[in-house]
Amino acid sequence: MTLQPTKANFATSIPVAAGLYDDLNRWAYPTVARMLGISTIPYDLLASAPYTSSRLFQETAPKAGLTPFKVPLPIDWSYARGELTGQYEHIGLGTINDGSGTAGLQGLKAMLSPPTRTGCGSPINTGQAHYVLDTAEFALNRWVKTGIPPAKAPRLQVDTSGSAPAFVLDTHGNVVGGVRTPSVEAPVAVLSGLGQTGASFCFLFGTTTPFSAEKPATLYPDHATFVAKDGRDRTRGRRGFHPPGRRG
């Protein structure tokens, strides 16, 4: 998102530079906004089904004394319209989790058959990092409000014995260590956060390489085996790294 702070918020956040705000407001912020081509979501998109939650927030927020507003974004909205019509594949994996299991199923399908029409050289990383990000935001907010610090996560394991550092990989090709989401503990694909080729921000998106059709059948002989393995890891994930009250 691209939000310009108010003068008061700027001064509170960076008091040593408070005197620079007027100059930044005169040329810097407008210049960046023009360069990025920022704009707010068009009404036709906001009225579509994927933005139901946004419309509900607009309706509900004033009742809580809040003033909702549209955030200016550097997005070509024609691509968003293309997703609705099926012209482009939707690659946003942070589906709202309503507890029905739909979001988890969508995430699983995205690892089994990741989107390809993304402009990137390979399918992007479709792992469950958005759950971890949601938890980080929840924990940060709780820390500020109550003083309860976030859980400490183990680090990804790195091998420094060679000429260049390299991640330690498990038998499936996924990195060892870090926050162990079900997508790496009950895997159906090799997930990587390393960069790749392609346009725009592809170098940030990592890759997904689905297992062969035979491998999941070997790892999980039946549905119950997979559900049990995936469920154990979701329970373990909740111990500090899964949003409270969420079910995949």
Side-chain angles (χ1 to χ4, degrees), residues 35-56:
M35 290 174 62
L36 294 176
I38 62 176
S39 60
T40 57
I41 184 171
Y43 286 102
D44 62 307
L45 279 174
L46 184 60
S48 63
Y51 295 93
T52 300
S53 62
S54 299
R55 297 195 304 275
L56 289 174

Side-chain angles (χ1 to χ4, degrees), residues 118-132:
T118 61
C120 300
S122 302
I124 67 169
N125 188 322
T126 55
Q128 298 164 323
H130 56 285
Y131 289 127
V132 181

Side-chain angles (χ1 to χ4, degrees), residues 5-234:
T6 64
K7 187 172 184 177
N9 287 339
F10 183 87
T12 301
S13 178
I14 318 176
V16 295
L20 300 176
Y21 184 86
D22 289 337
D23 195 34
L24 293 173
N25 185 51
R26 180 178 59 82
W27 70 270
Y29 288 125
T31 298
V32 172
R34 286 195 299 271
M35 290 174 62
L36 294 176
I38 62 176
S39 60
T40 57
I41 184 171
Y43 286 102
D44 62 307
L45 279 174
L46 184 60
S48 63
Y51 295 93
T52 300
S53 62
S54 299
R55 297 195 304 275
L56 289 174
F57 179 79
Q58 279 190 315
E59 297 172 4
T60 305
K63 299 175 183 177
L66 303 174
T67 304
F69 62 94
K70 295 180 180 178
V71 177
L73 299 168
I75 289 178
D76 183 343
W77 296 107
S78 65
Y79 281 94
R81 291 189 177 96
E83 288 182 336
L84 292 179
T85 61
Q87 181 180 0
Y88 306 112
E89 289 187 80
H90 176 60
I91 61 174
L93 299 173
T95 301
I96 295 174
N97 191 345
D98 59 5
S100 68
T102 301
L105 181 59
Q106 178 183 335
L108 176 61
K109 289 180 177 178
M111 287 184 282
L112 291 169
S113 182
T116 55
R117 290 180 293 168
T118 61
C120 300
S122 302
I124 67 169
N125 188 322
T126 55
Q128 298 164 323
H130 56 285
Y131 289 127
V132 181
L133 177 59
D134 286 350
T135 305
E137 293 175 347
F138 170 85
L140 179 61
N141 183 59
R142 184 181 60 184
W143 190 14
V144 171
K145 289 183 174 181
T146 69
I148 300 174
K152 292 184 178 180
R155 298 297 183 254
L156 297 173
Q157 292 187 25
V158 178
D159 180 4
T160 58
S161 62
S163 57
F167 287 119
V168 177
L169 305 180
D170 62 20
T171 56
H172 305 299
N174 289 311
V175 180
V176 176
V179 178
R180 310 303 295 174
T181 63
S183 58
V184 291
E185 288 291 86
V188 295
V190 178
L191 303 170
S192 172
L194 299 179
Q196 59 159 297
T197 60
S200 188
F201 293 100
C202 289
F203 70 98
L204 296 174
F205 292 158
T207 59
T208 295
T209 305
F211 290 165
S212 67
E214 297 76 21
K215 186 169 183 175
T218 302
L219 295 173
Y220 319 109
D222 51 46
H223 178 262
T225 302
F226 176 74
V227 170
K229 175 68 173 174
D230 184 77
R232 283 198 301 271
D233 292 311
R234 287 181 187 276

